[in-house]
Amino acid sequence: MRTLPAAVRTALATTITAVGLTATLPAQTASTNDLDALREQIRLLDQKLRILERNQELRQETAAADAKKQPKLNVGDGRVEVVSADGANSLRLRGLVQGDARLYLDDANAAQDGFVLRRARLIFEGKFSDIFQYTIQPEFGGTVQILDANINAAFKPGFQVRVGRFKTPIGLEQLQSDPVAFFNERSVVTNLTPNRDVGIQVHGDVLTNRLNYAVGVFNGVLDGGNSPTTNLNNEGDFTVAARLFATPWANDKESKLKGLGFGIAAGTGNYKAGVPLNPYRTDGQQNFFAYRSAVGSTTVADGTATTISPQAYFYSGPLGILAEYVSSSAELTNGANSRKLTNTGFNLSVGYVLTGEESSYKGVTPNTNFSLNKGTWGAFEVVTRVAQVDIDDDAFAGGGTSLAAAGTNATEVTTYGVGLNWYLSKAIRANFDIFSNKFDFQGARPATGALSDNELAFISRIQVSF
């Protein structure tokens, strides 16, 4: 119900009071003309009141219509977003900063203790015409580079086309966003999966969001690497990657399996001679395996390379489990020795939110933010992990012409990790992880260097992600 203007209410009250007083006067003191005059004044006031009410309604309708034409500015959890009045166009600014303190408790890596700016990113996201979405993500931590630069045309939820540079649809943990992973660093098995590549991908959610699919063609990138701007395949060929991931009970809110997802991903390419290979790193980010790189005998890809990864996760309340297996095979050569190698690995990670919040593939949102004044502490999660990478023994066959030197590389690494994640708010997280990396060798353990002792690392991190 609308409220009458104060002036109108006062005038009306005065008039009514006057009428009332007049009605109480003796009949002989109020002439018929006087009563008629008062009635006319009331009628005129009522007419003015109606006009004022209508004018007020018109002003409110105009203001509401103008407001709908204005762009909206949304600010929340550090994010800034500008959205057009109709919601069809938007620009969102996000960011990620991760600072690490690394302490190596083994004798071999003690010299690597220090502080690291692990990631420093500004992320620009938005859309045009309610269909075309874009992402531009530069990295300023370490090597300055463009991580993601792509356009996604979302014609329908089940039919979308992405073009540009983005993550290859293979590794389950690799595809998970950095800030929400269980641990500070992804497991060693991600050494066997491709990272970002340049290409075109068709993807979407079908069967009422119970099945996600992705299939694309790319320039091609081998284990753990990011694609350069040129095609690394033989002339006329591209790397093909595809992934199917099912969540059959995702829409059944009462099902105990609503958080179960499983699938399989694969990629293959025909690489031309000379494609460089990436070293494999431990949880503590030390190299434990690298192919020969001496001038004239560098090991490179030369032929078909294939990656296969069955994968699954399960989230139920505060419990989260993520598991994947990866087999990566490739035809390699260093001129004097050519072989097809198959390296394999697995990762099993488990997390449990002690404060009861729900765990998910997209992370944990605390019920409260950390505040000494309010006596709230955010959310706490404990995590644990076991992972392994097994290098094909043929990598070390051939003595001095082997594809990798046995004396300076591990043939297998098994890693164990435990950690505590403290979610001070949705945007701020502190992590405290301990990693133990156990190495196996074909021959004797190297007497010096990072592999002369099993790696034991404590990595803590403060992260701002918005």
Side-chain angles (χ1 to χ4, degrees):
M1 178 180 294
R2 294 183 176 86
T3 303
L4 297 178
V8 175
R9 294 199 303 269
T10 302
L12 185 59
T14 302
T15 303
I16 293 173
T17 302
V19 172
L21 290 174
T22 303
T24 63
L25 293 176
Q28 64 272 19
T29 60
S31 66
T32 300
N33 291 338
D34 290 339
L35 291 174
D36 291 342
L38 286 172
R39 290 191 183 97
E40 179 61 15
Q41 289 180 1
I42 292 173
R43 189 190 66 79
L44 292 175
L45 284 172
D46 180 69
Q47 186 179 40
K48 291 180 179 179
L49 177 61
R50 293 177 185 277
I51 293 173
L52 288 172
E53 286 180 336
R54 181 52 187 158
N55 288 338
Q56 187 177 17
E57 290 175 354
L58 291 174
R59 285 195 296 270
Q60 290 173 342
E61 291 171 358
T62 302
D66 290 342
K68 291 181 180 179
K69 298 177 182 178
Q70 299 300 316
K72 300 175 183 176
L73 176 63
N74 301 321
V75 180
D77 294 320
R79 299 183 181 185
V80 179
E81 182 179 35
V82 180
V83 184
S84 63
D86 60 1
N89 305 283
S90 66
L91 170 61
R92 178 187 300 169
L93 175 61
R94 299 172 51 209
L96 172 64
V97 178
Q98 295 175 338
D100 291 3
R102 296 179 178 178
L103 178 64
Y104 294 88
L105 307 178
D106 59 276
D107 294 335
N109 293 289
Q112 305 301 321
D113 293 351
F115 299 99
V116 177
L117 178 60
R118 187 67 175 86
R119 295 180 175 89
R121 301 174 182 175
L122 282 177
I123 307 167
F124 302 89
E125 297 176 330
K127 64 180 179 180
F128 296 105
S129 302
D130 213 19
I131 295 178
F132 302 101
Q133 304 157 349
Y134 64 90
T135 299
I136 302 174
Q137 182 176 196
E139 170 71 83
F140 300 101
T143 303
V144 178
Q145 57 182 315
I146 298 295
L147 292 178
D148 292 306
N150 59 76
I151 297 174
N152 184 64
F155 300 108
K156 293 183 177 179
F159 180 65
Q160 304 184 42
V161 181
R162 178 172 293 148
V163 180
R165 194 173 199 248
F166 50 92
K167 288 185 177 180
T168 309
I170 298 289
L172 178 62
E173 192 181 26
Q174 190 74 272
L175 289 169
Q176 190 176 32
S177 182
D178 298 308
V180 301
F182 283 134
F183 284 87
N184 288 330
E185 299 294 344
R186 292 186 173 90
S187 70
V188 290
V189 77
T190 57
N191 285 299
L192 306 182
T193 60
N195 198 350
R196 290 176 169 86
D197 205 347
V198 179
I200 180 170
Q201 170 182 286
V202 178
H203 64 109
D205 295 313
V206 295
L207 302 179
T208 323
N209 297 325
R210 290 185 173 89
L211 180 66
N212 176 269
Y213 76 93
V215 57
V217 292
F218 302 90
N219 280 342
V221 59
L222 292 169
D223 299 351
N226 289 303
S227 172
T229 56
T230 57
N231 190 350
L232 298 181
N233 287 267
N234 281 310
E235 185 175 356
D237 289 338
F238 288 94
T239 291
V240 179
R243 178 175 183 261
L244 286 175
F245 197 83
T247 52
W249 297 276
N251 297 330
D252 185 355
K253 302 304 180 185
E254 301 301 322
S255 174
K256 294 181 179 179
L257 299 178
K258 65 180 181 181
L260 175 64
F262 54 87
I264 188 167
T268 186
N270 182 18
Y271 292 87
K272 55 190 175 186
V275 174
L277 302 169
N278 300 293
Y280 296 170
R281 293 192 167 195
T282 66
D283 291 338
Q285 300 301 290
Q286 306 297 309
N287 290 351
F288 72 90
F289 176 81
Y291 294 99
R292 291 188 185 277
S293 59
V295 176
S297 61
T298 299
T299 299
V300 296
D302 184 18
T304 302
T306 302
T307 304
I308 300 174
S309 175
Q311 53 198 247
Y313 63 55
F314 177 67
Y315 295 94
S316 178
L319 175 67
I321 302 173
L322 186 148
E324 62 183 326
Y325 173 85
V326 179
S327 171
S328 174
S329 63
E331 296 177 335
L332 309 178
T333 185
N334 58 13
N337 195 347
S338 299
R339 295 176 184 272
K340 179 181 178 180
L341 304 182
T342 300
N343 302 326
T344 60
F346 71 88
N347 162 38
L348 174 62
S349 300
V350 179
Y352 190 86
V353 186
L354 299 175
T355 44
E357 287 85 347
E358 288 197 350
S359 180
S360 78
Y361 188 67
K362 295 182 179 180
V364 174
T365 300
N367 290 333
T368 62
N369 293 336
F370 170 71
S371 172
L372 290 177
N373 292 333
K374 297 179 180 178
T376 53
W377 293 88
F380 292 90
E381 178 186 39
V382 290
V383 292
T384 186
R385 177 172 77 195
V386 58
Q388 186 182 82
V389 166
D390 183 17
I391 306 298
D392 194 322
D393 290 344
D394 280 353
F396 308 103
T401 63
S402 62
L403 299 177
T408 56
N409 290 288
T411 186
E412 182 179 284
V413 61
T414 304
T415 74
Y416 305 92
V418 294
L420 174 68
N421 299 326
W422 181 13
Y423 299 86
L424 288 85
S425 71
K426 186 177 181 180
I428 301 177
R429 188 174 91 165
N431 303 42
F432 308 93
D433 296 339
I434 296 178
F435 298 114
S436 173
N437 291 253
K438 179 181 176 299
F439 306 113
D440 290 325
F441 303 90
Q442 279 208 335
R445 176 187 292 274
T448 60
L451 303 183
S452 61
D453 194 1
N454 289 328
E455 181 186 274
L456 182 61
F458 173 71
I459 300 179
S460 60
R461 169 175 295 170
I462 184 71
Q463 166 186 290
V464 178
S465 174
F466 58 89

